[in-house]
Amino acid sequence: MEISNPMKTQHTNSGEANLQNPAVMPANGSASAGDAATAAENLQPGLLRVIKRNGTVTHYDKSKIKVAIGKAFLAIEGSQAAVSSRIHENVEEITEQVTETFMRRIETRSVIHIEDIQDQVELALMRSGEQKVARAYVLYREERRKLREKKLKQQNKPSIKEQLHVTLDDGQQIQLDKQRLRTIVNEGCYELADVDQKIIIDETLRNIYDGIPLKDLSQALIISARTLIEKEPNYSFVTARLLLDALRTEALTFLDIQSSATFTEMARLYPDYFLSYLDKGIELELITPELKQFDLSKLAQALKPERDLQFTYLGLQTLYDRYFLHQDNTRFELPQVFFMRVAMGLALYEDAAVRDEWAIKFYNLLSSFDYMSSTPTLFNAGTLRPQLSSCYLTTIPDDLDGIYAAFKDNALLSKFAGGLGNDWSSVRALGSHIKGTNGKSQGVIPFMNVADATAVAVNQGGKRKGAVCAYLESWHLDIEDFLELRKNTGDERRRTHDMNTANWIPDLFMQRVFENKDWTLFSPDDVPDLHDKYGKAFETAYADYEAKAKSGKILNSKSISAVKLWRKMLSMLFETGHPWITFKDTCNIRSPQQHCGVIHSSNLCTEITLNTSAEEIAVCNLGSINLAQHIDDNGINTEKLRDTISIAIRMLDNVIDQNYYSVPQAKNSNLQHRPIGLGLMGFQDALYKLSLPYASNEAVEFADHSMEMISYYAIHASTELAKERGAYQTFSGSLWHKGILPIDSIKLLQNVRGEYLDQDSNQTLDWESLRQRVMQIGMRNSNVMAIAPTATISNICGVSQSIEPTYQNLYVKSNLSGEFTVVNPYLVAALKKRNLWDDVMVNDLKYYDGSLQKIERIPEELKQLYATAFEIEPRWLIDAGSRRQKWIDQAQSLNLYMSEPSGKKLDTLYKMAWLKGLKTTYYLRTLGATSTEKATLHTGRLNAVKSNIESAPKACAIDDPDCEACQ
């Protein structure tokens, strides 16, 4: 697609400049322009400034607001108002309300118009119940406006907006190119319904002043569009396109190509820009020179500039802030070359004859949003240090050399953007004997405190917080102290405020809970083989150790009620969000790799289940299908899904060979077993497209069927690679080799669990032929599927995260890139179809924190379809998760939501998770107190809903930018 004539401008490339460099006549040195520039320069940056009606700028002065409000009261209440304490208090309170409103905006908008202030005064008067005063204020404003217009007409003077100038970085002033501004806004609104370019232009002109700096001009344009997103979701695309104009200027200027380009011009420039970008990236040692091996002209012609138009504002701003290559904080990477750089990095080791073709296929998959690689891959593909893997799992040995070597490994792995899962179950407990010194151990907790500090100190190359999760088995003698690691009270030396924690629970413990029996805690140096045992073997060994403890042969042990310990697990989970609940036996019994090791933990986000040991650091390489992109009028587009998965599996397999390994144990493990984790995102979007409520049997069936198809095609694609490249080294003896596919391994778990398993095992596809193919050809990858949280990459693609239900239908999302209005476009479309979408509905959604349930005019079927996360019974999440789990050889990051938690509800929920065959669970999100700024649409700011989600106070909170640091 190419932008056609309606968007074209009469300016030429050489004579045109955009908002960052308007190519127009220099200012004539008039007093008004010069005085305005001088006034603007004298204002201190970071302070709130006000544009007066004459175009000049001054500091915000709340005393003037106080005087104006006082006069309004005086006009209504009479002369006694001046001495009334009630009136005085009202004036003070209203003034503070107005001031606080603007102070909250200052990070993104430090200049406001005088009319904005007066709008806020009107609103504040209405909210405080002073309707008469507000009415008088409105009438007075209107009277003054008419007088100003009459005066200007009599004087025959041009409007101040017709004389606006822009101040360049070198201090030169040039006249604002309004035609250029209109062209950019026209492009921003191209082929988008229900958006009005005039509103954006008028609002921009109202909020700029004579002598405005370039960067402020561009920001004013973006802000004018983003304030409209809550009213119309398509303004998110408009805002992204206006942002892209500024990004083009930044990149093109840095590469010395030209000062700016419209979208239409950039479509022609992209090939030349791509070549210049590669040269500069290689020169700056940010891109590997190996990318020169490709046919660059061929790849340049394969770029699709029109795909720049598909970003939401949140998606593009996220890419700009966190992903694009930069030098001295100047970004010179634009979206399509970003995706091509990643594609080239992943295709680099393909055979020379087909390297270009694969790079183009990879690019098309990424740039279309049909599939997205994980964050480390996007960060580092095609660079000099291509650390592309997402997750690393380690086992810490029970000796000082091994423990401190593990800290070093954590630091090195975290430095290059890897998320970590540490298994601490081998480290001896508090009070254990130390043979070398004849002393007693301080246990595992102090070492975890050091691991916590290491994660903070090594913050993933400065791109995001270091992230690690510690796992401990439930029989470990330090388990009770472990449960309290995230508490905000107690000895700080025994707390880890930044590190995540997770329980690694054997089936035997869950059985003891159900049967209300006792449970014995041990130190691992007394029971060394329990760490590597699971299933019936664990049960037998554990019973033997319990007998020894009772007979006095094992002194360092403790017997407690299993129910009491379980309740403490749930209590801490509710209070602190940790430790998460994960199940050791389910992970191991269904593992295709049980013939050559043991799974001792999951990863940072509980979706990876791979073997670890002192010699092996497990590595997983992640990417996610955008399920919503594979839904059409007939449901799942099977052919498209198969093709996407085939290419995606190849991309993931290539990660293993391309990857930079900072520690040798990781490289050895990854090359030997070649595990990958194909997941999905946009599950909720897919349900919306199919008109299926999340809380329904139909949605559960869809979760089952869609995951069955993904599993089938992913396994088939891995056999295709095995046919081309050979099976992974340890294939022989695996469950794959034995013809036991993930769906078949449920029987293995059933044999061990007996009555304690209730998991569906129905199937619809031809699994027998695939089973035979796997046994005959082999698998390229030991593990193929895992569903990660996808928090950031789903933002890039503009879809719902992973398998998550909608958080709220209208809210403000805060992350490292700022604040973003998030509105459910499917809901808006449904309400428009019923003529229910209007300003009143927007305000109702704000008032009810994005919920439809208490809005009477909403039809019941829409309330069900657009129910939010805390309005869905958590059993539906468990049911859908169980259906997916039967097809997955690893696990899934499954958050659970509970609006009104109680001990009984939590007990039922997590017992159900175990009985339904889930391997792991992730965060428990409970709804606590909320504080909402109740505002109307016209304030320009959405309600800032601050939910006290008690169970997720730090990482992985709904609106935290690093809620999944491995994806």
mmCIF file of all heavy atoms in Angstrom, residues 225 504 539 698 744 864:
data_model
loop_
_atom_site.group_PDB
_atom_site.id
_atom_site.type_symbol
_atom_site.label_atom_id
_atom_site.label_comp_id
_atom_site.label_asym_id
_atom_site.label_seq_id
_atom_site.Cartn_x
_atom_site.Cartn_y
_atom_site.Cartn_z
ATOM 1 N N ALA A 225 -3.116 14.555 20.133
ATOM 2 C CA ALA A 225 -3.784 13.335 19.661
ATOM 3 C C ALA A 225 -3.977 12.325 20.786
ATOM 4 O O ALA A 225 -5.039 11.688 20.879
ATOM 5 C CB ALA A 225 -2.972 12.709 18.535
ATOM 6 N N TRP A 504 8.575 -25.368 45.193
ATOM 7 C CA TRP A 504 8.709 -26.511 44.280
ATOM 8 C C TRP A 504 8.127 -27.701 45.038
ATOM 9 O O TRP A 504 8.785 -28.306 45.860
ATOM 10 C CB TRP A 504 10.167 -26.701 43.913
ATOM 11 C CG TRP A 504 10.488 -27.614 42.770
ATOM 12 C CD1 TRP A 504 11.300 -28.706 42.807
ATOM 13 C CD2 TRP A 504 10.053 -27.506 41.404
ATOM 14 N NE1 TRP A 504 11.398 -29.280 41.566
ATOM 15 C CE2 TRP A 504 10.641 -28.562 40.677
ATOM 16 C CE3 TRP A 504 9.214 -26.618 40.737
ATOM 17 C CZ2 TRP A 504 10.420 -28.748 39.315
ATOM 18 C CZ3 TRP A 504 9.001 -26.809 39.367
ATOM 19 C CH2 TRP A 504 9.591 -27.861 38.680
ATOM 20 N N GLU A 539 8.476 -40.900 46.913
ATOM 21 C CA GLU A 539 7.593 -41.296 48.012
ATOM 22 C C GLU A 539 8.242 -42.379 48.874
ATOM 23 O O GLU A 539 8.208 -42.321 50.112
ATOM 24 C CB GLU A 539 6.265 -41.788 47.439
ATOM 25 C CG GLU A 539 5.214 -42.091 48.491
ATOM 26 C CD GLU A 539 3.876 -42.443 47.867
ATOM 27 O OE1 GLU A 539 3.673 -42.164 46.668
ATOM 28 O OE2 GLU A 539 3.027 -42.994 48.590
ATOM 29 N N GLU A 698 -17.326 -22.556 26.047
ATOM 30 C CA GLU A 698 -16.859 -22.390 24.671
ATOM 31 C C GLU A 698 -15.426 -21.855 24.638
ATOM 32 O O GLU A 698 -14.617 -22.263 23.799
ATOM 33 C CB GLU A 698 -17.796 -21.449 23.917
ATOM 34 C CG GLU A 698 -19.183 -22.001 23.651
ATOM 35 C CD GLU A 698 -20.105 -21.897 24.863
ATOM 36 O OE1 GLU A 698 -19.701 -21.272 25.869
ATOM 37 O OE2 GLU A 698 -21.222 -22.453 24.807
ATOM 38 N N ASP A 744 0.128 -37.818 25.297
ATOM 39 C CA ASP A 744 0.226 -39.186 25.809
ATOM 40 C C ASP A 744 0.773 -39.233 27.228
ATOM 41 O O ASP A 744 0.500 -40.184 27.981
ATOM 42 C CB ASP A 744 1.131 -40.030 24.904
ATOM 43 C CG ASP A 744 0.687 -40.007 23.453
ATOM 44 O OD1 ASP A 744 -0.528 -40.110 23.213
ATOM 45 O OD2 ASP A 744 1.552 -39.873 22.574
ATOM 46 N N GLN A 864 -20.999 -9.889 29.824
ATOM 47 C CA GLN A 864 -20.333 -11.191 29.918
ATOM 48 C C GLN A 864 -19.104 -11.243 29.014
ATOM 49 O O GLN A 864 -18.042 -11.706 29.419
ATOM 50 C CB GLN A 864 -21.309 -12.308 29.544
ATOM 51 C CG GLN A 864 -22.456 -12.486 30.523
ATOM 52 C CD GLN A 864 -23.397 -13.603 30.108
ATOM 53 O OE1 GLN A 864 -23.036 -14.464 29.294
ATOM 54 N NE2 GLN A 864 -24.604 -13.589 30.653
#
